[in-house]
Amino acid sequence: MTPAAALGRLADIPPGAFATAARRIMSRCDELARVSADDGQITRVYLSPEHARVNRLAAEWMREVGMTTRLDAAGNQLGVLPAADRDAPTLMLGSHLDTVIDAGRFDGILGVLMGIELARLLRVPGGDDGVWYSPFPFGIEVAAFSDEEGTRFGKALLGSSAVAGEWDEDWWQLADDDGITLREAYREFGLDPGRIGEAARTSEQLVGYLEAHIEQGPELDRRGESLAVVSSIASARRFQVVVEGEARHAGGTPYDMRRDALLGASEAALAVERICSGEHHIIGTVGQLEAFPGAVNVVPGEARFSLDLRGEFDGARDTVWERISHDLDDIMGRRRLRWRAREVHSAPAMFCDPLLQDVMRAGIGSTLPAHAEDPITLFSPAGHDGMAIGSVTPVGMLFLRNPDGISHHPDEAVSAADVATGLRAFAEAVAHRGAEVAA
Ligand code: GLV
Ligand code: MN
Ligand code: MN
């Protein structure tokens, strides 16, 4: 195939096809939203029965567009539309199917379904054999990653880390709230922990990774724009912090004798807000806080809280963690408490590949001519599978407008019109990558 033929591939797609595909995506997001551990909520965690059900649905939809499917050793659902040369590498399009607790219906899911629809829009018939092919010098592979959020085991990006070949043997000991270890959960799901290495891909097998995702913030909505290219993804660290004081009678213990662990943890949460809000592109969140023994008439003797810390640059993020640790020493010292932190997740900042950013810019530029010269570029404070995949292949990302910027919440939204526009830009970007590889 010539570069011109790759770029010309979209000319054969009927104008209404993007809107039809967008409607199918919206209705499938609704269908996947019904697969949840809790009635009335969307909660789907790694290696759960719901994970198995959405994998089966995604595999069915991948096969419907002519892809060959497989479940990899980390529970990621993959589908490939091969190139005419079946040994050619693939361009991976993906995102995740797991969710936070009481989630929205688009975070991750949208990117997977857009990948499947792109395969449908771009595929070409192979002749009499009824087989569909990628028109480009690479296969089109869709990855439905199994764990991006880290909801169940605290450690995020487990699915994509396995694909990137970055598995840490210590992770097998991570346990969920019921004490089930990652190793046990693998076996229960029907996966063999001993084969995790088989999920790893090499850089020779891939020509890049492209992900479409809702923005999860208000920038595009505020600017009245539908699409943006992502420049980089924030670095992240997550900690579980334990504060120890002394449990005593709530009525009989005077204030000067109290060593209230919950008050120490509360002051720590305020310190996180004070320190992080003074820094550009550093965000700290205490999302979980528990007091023990948890009785109305007992001064809390222990408190546990989570800390999610993100930054545009690893160095600034780490300096902020040092400042937080220093403040925690002061707070706990003053309150005669002890504290310790266990780091459960760490991921460096990921800079999107300059060439794939250009490919996304070209895709947006051909779809939205008003932006041909200068498509919007945004930094992503939210984490994405590309953070892990970036260590094995170049990554490019496309953001779609998220009305009001609300995400990790049932009100999360995207419009069918923006999905249709995003699909067109994404397809153009894939065609541009095709032209580059063909050249
Ligand atoms: C994932 O959505 C994250 O940014 O935590
Ligand atoms: Mn998320
Ligand atoms: Mn996501």
Side-chain angles (χ1 to χ4, degrees):
M1 152 176 267
T2 62
L7 285 177
R9 173 69 194 96
L10 264 74
D12 307 333
I13 300 175
F18 292 98
T20 306
R23 280 196 295 277
R24 188 179 299 113
I25 288 172
M26 299 304 274
S27 97
R28 286 181 171 176
C29 284
D30 291 344
E31 188 170 348
L32 291 177
R34 289 194 284 275
V35 184
S36 171
D38 297 303
D39 277 347
Q41 286 192 354
I42 306 171
T43 302
R44 219 164 37 234
V45 302
Y46 192 28
L47 306 172
S48 61
E50 298 75 42
H51 170 194
R53 280 175 61 200
V54 291
N55 272 354
R56 280 197 294 274
L57 281 169
E60 199 180 293
W61 297 335
M62 288 168 175
R63 283 193 290 271
E64 180 193 291
V65 301
M67 299 186 133
T68 306
T69 58
R70 74 187 172 90
L71 187 72
D72 78 4
N76 300 302
Q77 182 62 55
L78 304 171
V80 178
L81 195 66
D85 167 7
R86 286 184 165 260
D87 294 328
T90 61
L91 175 66
M92 191 180 262
L93 314 176
S95 198
H96 58 99
L97 293 180
D98 68 313
T99 72
V100 294
I101 295 166
D102 200 9
R105 59 190 60 203
F106 301 107
D107 173 0
I109 291 97
L110 180 70
V112 174
L113 298 182
M114 282 178 70
I116 296 173
E117 288 307 314
L118 274 204
R120 187 198 304 274
L121 288 161
L122 293 169
R123 66 186 181 170
V124 288
D128 297 337
D129 56 3
V131 176
W132 293 95
Y133 288 93
S134 157
F136 305 115
F138 45 74
I140 295 176
E141 177 163 12
V142 175
F145 290 114
S146 51
D147 173 81
E148 185 265 8
E149 304 285 7
T151 308
R152 182 166 178 191
F153 294 99
K155 164 82 192 96
L157 303 168
L158 286 167
S160 38
S161 295
V163 170
E166 304 243 308
W167 193 264
D168 182 336
E169 289 298 312
D170 289 348
W171 295 343
W172 293 120
Q173 308 311 322
L174 293 170
D176 68 9
D177 288 346
D178 296 322
I180 299 170
T181 64
L182 184 59
R183 186 187 298 281
E184 288 160 352
Y186 258 61
R187 293 205 175 110
E188 228 168 82
F189 195 77
L191 294 170
D192 178 354
R195 300 180 72 167
I196 189 70
E198 293 174 17
R201 306 293 288 274
T202 64
S203 42
E204 290 73 33
Q205 292 171 325
L206 299 167
V207 296
Y209 172 75
L210 297 179
E211 176 166 351
H213 204 287
I214 53 161
E215 186 203 332
Q216 305 184 279
E219 223 25 65
L220 281 170
D221 194 40
R222 282 182 181 162
R223 297 194 204 185
E225 301 288 349
S226 54
L227 303 175
V229 182
V230 178
S231 54
S232 71
I233 308 175
S235 69
R237 291 176 78 176
R238 290 184 188 173
F239 301 89
Q240 291 294 340
V241 182
V242 177
V243 180
E244 283 173 353
E246 187 179 41
R248 290 179 70 130
H249 198 289
T253 312
Y255 277 109
D256 64 357
M257 288 183 72
R258 291 180 183 229
R259 295 170 55 217
D260 186 325
L262 179 62
L263 292 182
S266 306
E267 213 180 318
L270 291 171
V272 167
E273 182 193 42
R274 179 172 35 75
I275 294 169
C276 295
S277 60
E279 299 285 332
H280 184 59
H281 278 173
I282 296 278
I283 302 150
T285 303
V286 174
Q288 297 169 320
L289 173 60
E290 269 185 299
F292 300 90
V296 287
N297 56 354
V298 181
V299 174
E302 185 175 307
R304 296 183 204 159
F305 66 92
S306 61
L307 172 61
D308 175 299
L309 191 60
R310 297 159 192 241
E312 187 169 11
F313 301 104
D314 303 352
R317 172 205 65 180
D318 294 344
T319 305
V320 164
W321 168 239
E322 279 164 27
R323 284 179 53 202
I324 292 172
S325 304
H326 191 261
D327 266 43
L328 260 62
D329 283 341
D330 280 355
I331 294 164
M332 305 308 167
R334 195 163 20 82
R335 291 180 170 274
R336 295 178 297 123
L337 303 167
R338 281 195 305 271
W339 75 282
R340 61 180 187 277
R342 187 167 61 89
E343 184 160 5
V344 290
H345 172 67
S346 172
M350 215 284 307
F351 293 87
C352 293
D353 179 69
L355 289 178
L356 290 186
Q357 285 189 51
D358 284 347
V359 151
M360 284 299 192
R361 278 192 190 95
I364 295 176
S366 357
T367 306
L368 303 171
H371 289 293
E373 292 310 313
D374 197 13
I376 294 168
T377 301
L378 295 178
F379 150 73
S380 173
H384 301 289
D385 292 293
M387 297 166 84
I389 298 299
S391 63
V392 71
T393 195
V395 169
M397 278 196 79
L398 176 73
F399 269 173
L400 282 78
R401 168 167 43 199
N402 173 196
D404 192 40
I406 189 164
S407 182
H408 285 183
H409 185 277
D411 290 349
E412 189 177 86
V414 67
S415 73
D418 282 352
V419 173
T421 311
L423 267 175
R424 167 139 219 142
F426 205 10
E428 295 273 8
V430 171
H432 275 83
R433 185 75 187 117
E436 281 174 5
V437 175

